[in-house]
Amino acid sequence: MNIAVVKQETVGFALVKPLAGFIAILLLAGCGTIKPEPLSQEAISQRVNKDRAEMYRGQESVNAPLSFSDAMARALKYNLDYRLKLMETAMASSLLDISQQDMLPKLMADAGYRWRNNDSGGTSVGIDDRVVSLRPSTSEERDHYLSNATFSWDLLDFGMSYFRAKQQADEVNIAEERRRKVLQNIVQEVRDAYWRALGAQRLLNETQPLAEQIASALAKTQEAERAGILPPIEGLEYQRTLLDAMTQLNQKRQQMELAKSELGALMNVPPGTPIVLEDTPQPLAPAPADLNKLEQMALERRPELREEDYKSRIDSYETKRQIASMFPNLNLFAGVSYDSNDYLYNNNWVQGGVGVSMNLFKLLSIPAVNKGNDVREKTDEARRMALSMAVLTQVRVAAERYKLSLYSFQIAEQSAQVDQRLASISRAGSDNSLTSDLETLRTQARSIVSRFQSASSYAEAQAAYGRVLNSVGIDLLPEKIDSTDVAGLSREIAISLRKEESNVFQNQSSVVALRQPLTINISRVPSGVSADAVQRAVSRVVTANQLTVEVTPESQHLQMRFSTINATGGRKGVWNMTVTDARGGIVLQRNYQSYLPADISSRSVVALAEAAALSITSDLQRLTGVSPSLSVVQ
C-alpha cells in the first residue's frame, strides 16, 4: 500500500514539473518580444479611402437649386457633428437599458470540472487525549463534475441599481438637450453661410466681367501715360483709383465666396460639388418688442438650463443613493446543485436562505452626507442663477443686435441704390472718351462693392435674426417627423420654423404673406433702341434688389414710357413710370429725367432706364412686400 502511494506521488510530481516548466517557458517567451509596430502606408490609405466613402455614403445628390429649408434639411440629415450627437444619445439610451437590467434579481449558473493527483481525505483526533479515532478516509473522487444554479435577490443592490438607473435616465435627457443645442447651432451656422453664399451667387457673375474691364482700362491708362496722352499725375491718379477699385472688389468677393464652401461643409456635400441656391427674397421681420415674453421663453426652452435641471436631479438621486446605502441589507437566495462525486449520498440538492447585514459605522456619515447635499444644492442653484442671467443677457443683446443690423442693412441698401444710380447715370452720359470710360468704371466698381456690402449687411441681419431665435432656444424640428427624405424633411422644417418664428417675431407671418411679383412693360423708346433690351436691363436691376419679376394674376405692373425734352445746356431723357396693382388701380407714379449725350444711343437709354428704375426701388419693395416698414431706431 505504501509503495503504491509513493508511486502515485512520484507520477504526480513527474506530471507537475513538466507542466510548470512549459508554463514558465511560455511566460518567458512572451516577455520582451512585443515591439512598437507602426501602421503601414497601405493600412493608412485603406483607412482614408474607407472614411472618405463612409462620409458621403447614402446621400441624396444635389440636382436642383437649394432653398434655405433644403440646406437646413441636408445639414441636419448629413452633418457629421449632428450624427455624432445622435449616436451619443443612442449610446446613453443603451446605457439606460443596461442600468435597468441591473435591478433584476440575479440567476447565477456555474459548471466545472475538478481533478487532483491524489485522494483528498482526513481523520478525527480526540479533543482531550489527541488520540486518532478514525482511519484516514475520503469522500471525494479525484475527478468529478460540478454544476449549480442560484437565484438571489439583494435589497441593497436593488436600491443602488434603482437610483443609478434614475440617474442614467436623466443622462439620456442631458444627451437629448445637448443634441438640441448642436441642432440649434448648426441651424445658426447654416443661416449665416446660406445668405452670404446667396449674396455671392447674385453678384459674382457681374464681378468677373467688371474685373476684366478694370484690368483692360488699367492697361489703357498705362499706355496713354507712356504715350503722353495723359499727364503723369493724372494717369497715376487714374491707375490708383482703378487699383483701389480692384482691391475692394477682390476683398468683398473673397469674403463672400468662402461662404459657399462653408455651406457645403455644413451640409456634408463632397468638395467640388456645384451648389446652386434658390434666389427667393425673404423679408426681414421687425425687431421683437415684447422682450419679457422672449426672456420667459428662453428660461423655459434653452437646452443649457434644462441640462442644469437634470444635473440637479441627478445630484438629488446621488444623495438618496448614499442614504439608502446605510440601510440594512436583506439577501434572499435559493438554488439547485449537482455533483458527479459518487461518494456523495445525494448528488442533487436544493438549498436556500436569507441573510440580513448592516454596516453600523456608516451611520456616522449621515451628517457629512446631509452637509454635502446642502452644499451641492446651493452650488447647483448658484450655477443655474448665473446661467439664467447669462441667458437673459443673450436675449437682450441678440434683440438689440438685430435691431441695429436692420438699421445697418437699410443704410447699406440705400447706399447701394445710390451707387447703382450713379453708375447708370455715368454710363448714360458717357461720351466714350478715356476719362469718361474711367469714371464709368470707377462708379461701376463702387456700385458692385456697395451691393456686396448690402448683401453682406443682409446676411449679417439674417445671422442676427437667427441669433434671436437661438437665444430663445426654439426647436427647428417638429416633435414628430413623417418623412426622412430631404424634400419631405425640408417641407416639415419650413412649416415648423415658420410656426416657431411667428412666436418670436409676431409680424413674421403677415410679412411673408405680403410678397408679390412684378411685371415690367417698356414703351415709346427711340428708334434704333430695343425695347426688349431695356426691359431686360430693368428686370436685371430690380431682380438684383430682391424683387421678383414674374407674370401672375397677383402681379403688380410697372409701365415705363420714354420721352425727351429740351433743357438749358442740352436735351433730357424722361422716363414716366406708373405702377398699378392686380386690379388696375394706380398705386405709384414717378418721373425720372436726366441729361442725354448729343448722340442718343441704346447704351444711354438703357442706362437711364436703369437709373429710373433704381429711383423707385424702395417704393417697389414696399409695395410688393419685400421691404416692410421697419422701425429700428427707438
Side-chain angles (χ1 to χ4, degrees):
M1 177 64 92
N2 292 336
I3 295 175
V5 172
V6 171
K7 286 183 177 180
Q8 290 176 356
E9 292 178 354
T10 303
V11 172
F13 281 118
L15 293 174
V16 170
K17 287 181 178 180
L19 181 61
F22 179 70
I23 294 174
I25 291 173
L26 290 178
L27 293 175
L28 291 174
C31 297
T33 60
I34 305 301
K35 297 180 180 180
E37 184 179 349
L39 290 171
S40 65
Q41 185 59 41
E42 182 181 359
I44 295 174
S45 299
Q46 290 177 354
R47 187 261 303 166
V48 171
N49 294 333
K50 179 182 177 182
D51 289 349
R52 288 174 66 90
E54 285 295 322
M55 282 192 294
Y56 310 113
R57 183 174 60 85
Q59 293 189 183
E60 299 180 36
S61 59
V62 180
N63 48 24
L66 299 177
S67 65
F68 179 51
S69 59
D70 292 337
M72 286 193 293
R74 285 188 169 272
L76 297 183
K77 187 171 183 179
Y78 302 129
N79 185 273
L80 296 180
D81 289 335
Y82 188 59
R83 286 186 188 179
L84 176 60
K85 283 301 175 184
L86 289 176
M87 292 178 183
E88 290 178 356
T89 303
M91 183 177 67
S93 299
S94 299
L95 294 176
L96 174 59
D97 294 337
I98 295 174
S99 298
Q100 291 175 337
Q101 296 295 327
D102 289 341
M103 291 189 293
L104 296 176
K106 295 178 176 58
L107 180 60
M108 303 297 296
D110 295 328
Y113 170 76
R114 289 185 181 181
W115 169 87
R116 58 183 296 157
N117 68 325
N118 53 24
D119 292 318
S120 68
T123 185
S124 298
V125 179
I127 295 177
D128 295 331
D129 54 10
R130 314 305 295 173
V131 175
V132 176
S133 58
L134 293 174
R135 60 175 180 166
S137 62
T138 181
S139 60
E140 182 180 3
E141 289 185 301
R142 292 188 180 185
D143 58 310
H144 59 108
Y145 297 94
L146 300 170
S147 63
N148 65 77
T150 304
F151 177 88
S152 64
W153 185 73
D154 194 301
L155 179 61
L156 192 56
D157 284 348
F158 172 80
M160 298 297 100
S161 299
Y162 173 78
F163 288 119
R164 278 194 295 267
K166 296 289 287 185
Q167 289 175 316
Q168 188 59 46
D170 281 333
E171 290 290 350
V172 175
N173 292 329
I174 288 176
E176 175 64 18
E177 295 304 323
R178 290 175 179 172
R179 182 199 62 80
R180 286 184 59 228
K181 185 61 181 176
V182 170
L183 172 63
Q184 293 171 5
N185 290 339
I186 290 176
V187 170
Q188 174 65 25
E189 292 172 2
V190 169
R191 183 187 295 275
D192 186 17
Y194 181 89
W195 293 111
R196 286 191 291 118
L198 182 57
Q201 177 179 291
R202 290 168 176 165
L203 298 174
L204 288 179
N205 291 335
E206 302 178 34
T207 304
Q208 187 59 34
L210 180 59
E212 293 174 355
Q213 293 176 20
I214 292 176
S216 176
L218 186 62
K220 290 180 180 179
T221 306
Q222 293 170 344
E223 183 179 349
E225 180 191 356
R226 287 192 298 269
I229 299 176
L230 287 176
I233 293 179
E234 185 177 352
L236 291 174
E237 287 179 349
Y238 277 130
Q239 293 176 36
R240 178 74 266 176
T241 301
L242 291 173
L243 288 172
D244 288 343
M246 180 71 79
T247 300
Q248 293 180 355
L249 204 60
N250 285 335
Q251 287 177 347
K252 292 296 182 182
R253 181 171 61 181
Q254 290 173 7
Q255 290 174 4
M256 311 236 2
E257 273 184 335
L258 295 176
K260 187 165 287 189
S261 298
E262 296 174 9
L263 181 62
L266 289 168
M267 296 188 299
N268 199 40
V269 174
T273 302
I275 299 176
V276 179
L277 304 181
E278 187 178 281
D279 196 348
T280 302
Q282 180 170 328
L284 294 165
D290 191 356
L291 294 184
N292 291 327
K293 175 187 175 182
L294 298 188
E295 289 175 347
Q296 182 67 24
M297 292 173 62
L299 294 176
E300 293 175 356
R301 294 188 175 199
R302 282 289 289 268
E304 301 95 322
L305 290 174
R306 291 187 181 182
E307 182 177 341
E308 288 300 322
D309 291 338
Y310 292 128
K311 286 181 178 178
S312 298
R313 201 157 68 178
I314 288 175
D315 289 341
S316 68
Y317 287 136
E318 179 62 25
T319 301
K320 294 177 181 178
R321 193 182 69 83
Q322 292 177 359
I323 293 176
S325 67
M326 303 175 190
F327 291 169
N329 181 30
L330 175 65
N331 179 262
L332 303 173
F333 68 92
V336 294
S337 300
Y338 169 77
D339 193 334
S340 66
N341 183 13
D342 289 336
Y343 295 153
L344 293 179
Y345 184 79
N346 292 310
N347 295 91
N348 300 285
W349 66 95
V350 177
Q351 61 182 351
V354 60
V356 178
S357 62
M358 181 177 183
N359 186 351
L360 297 178
F361 280 107
K362 265 205 166 185
L363 297 176
L364 300 176
S365 62
I366 291 179
V369 171
N370 292 333
K371 182 178 179 181
N373 180 44
D374 293 339
V375 172
R376 188 184 296 115
E377 288 181 353
K378 291 179 181 179
T379 303
D380 291 342
E381 184 176 357
R383 186 171 60 247
R384 188 175 63 254
M385 290 298 102
L387 186 58
S388 298
M389 179 57 67
V391 167
L392 295 179
T393 303
Q394 288 176 6
V395 171
R396 293 275 176 174
V397 171
E400 191 63 27
R401 281 182 176 175
Y402 179 61
K403 185 185 300 184
L404 295 175
S405 68
L406 288 177
Y407 185 58
S408 297
F409 170 61
Q410 283 186 318
I411 295 176
E413 192 176 31
Q414 292 174 5
S415 298
Q417 291 175 3
V418 169
D419 285 335
Q420 288 179 76
R421 292 172 63 186
L422 283 173
S424 298
I425 293 173
S426 178
R427 286 196 304 274
S430 175
D431 57 6
N432 294 324
S433 65
L434 178 60
T435 56
S436 179
D437 286 343
L438 291 175
E439 180 62 22
T440 299
L441 283 176
R442 188 183 66 82
T443 56
Q444 285 181 316
R446 188 170 64 184
S447 172
I448 291 290
V449 170
S450 295
R451 288 174 63 191
F452 268 117
Q453 184 61 42
S454 175
S456 179
S457 297
Y458 178 78
E460 290 175 1
Q462 282 284 357
Y465 178 92
R467 278 192 290 270
V468 173
L469 301 176
N470 203 358
S471 68
V472 174
I474 70 166
D475 292 317
L476 175 68
L477 292 174
E479 294 182 1
K480 183 180 179 181
I481 300 177
D482 298 325
S483 179
T484 57
D485 63 301
V486 172
L489 187 59
S490 174
R491 288 191 297 270
E492 295 191 21
I493 286 175
I495 296 172
S496 177
L497 188 60
R498 188 157 53 246
K499 175 183 176 182
E500 293 290 348
E501 287 176 345
S502 64
N503 293 330
V504 179
F505 300 92
Q506 297 179 356
N507 298 327
Q508 176 68 14
S509 58
S510 60
V511 168
V512 175
L514 285 171
R515 190 167 56 213
Q516 292 176 300
L518 182 73
T519 61
I520 300 172
N521 188 2
I522 307 297
S523 61
R524 296 183 184 177
V525 295
S527 60
V529 177
S530 171
D532 291 339
V534 177
Q535 183 170 356
R536 287 194 299 271
V538 173
S539 299
R540 184 173 63 253
V541 166
V542 298
T543 301
N545 287 274
Q546 315 308 312
L547 292 163
T548 302
V549 179
E550 186 180 2
V551 179
T552 68
E554 295 80 19
S555 298
Q556 303 214 30
H557 305 276
L558 170 61
Q559 176 72 37
M560 298 181 65
R561 299 179 179 87
F562 182 78
S563 62
T564 59
I565 59 174
N566 294 322
T568 304
R571 190 165 45 164
K572 289 184 176 181
V574 180
W575 279 104
N576 177 267
M577 295 170 287
T578 303
V579 180
T580 57
D581 58 21
R583 296 185 298 273
I586 298 176
V587 294
L588 179 68
Q589 282 186 317
R590 292 283 191 277
N591 288 331
Y592 185 85
Q593 55 183 295
S594 181
Y595 284 99
L596 293 171
D599 183 16
I600 299 178
S601 63
S602 178
R603 172 181 176 180
S604 60
V605 174
V606 168
L608 191 61
E610 291 178 353
L614 287 166
S615 68
I616 62 169
T617 297
S618 298
D619 295 317
L620 292 175
Q621 290 175 337
R622 175 178 52 81
L623 291 172
T624 57
V626 172
S627 181
S629 177
L630 301 176
S631 179
V632 297
V633 180
Q634 299 294 334

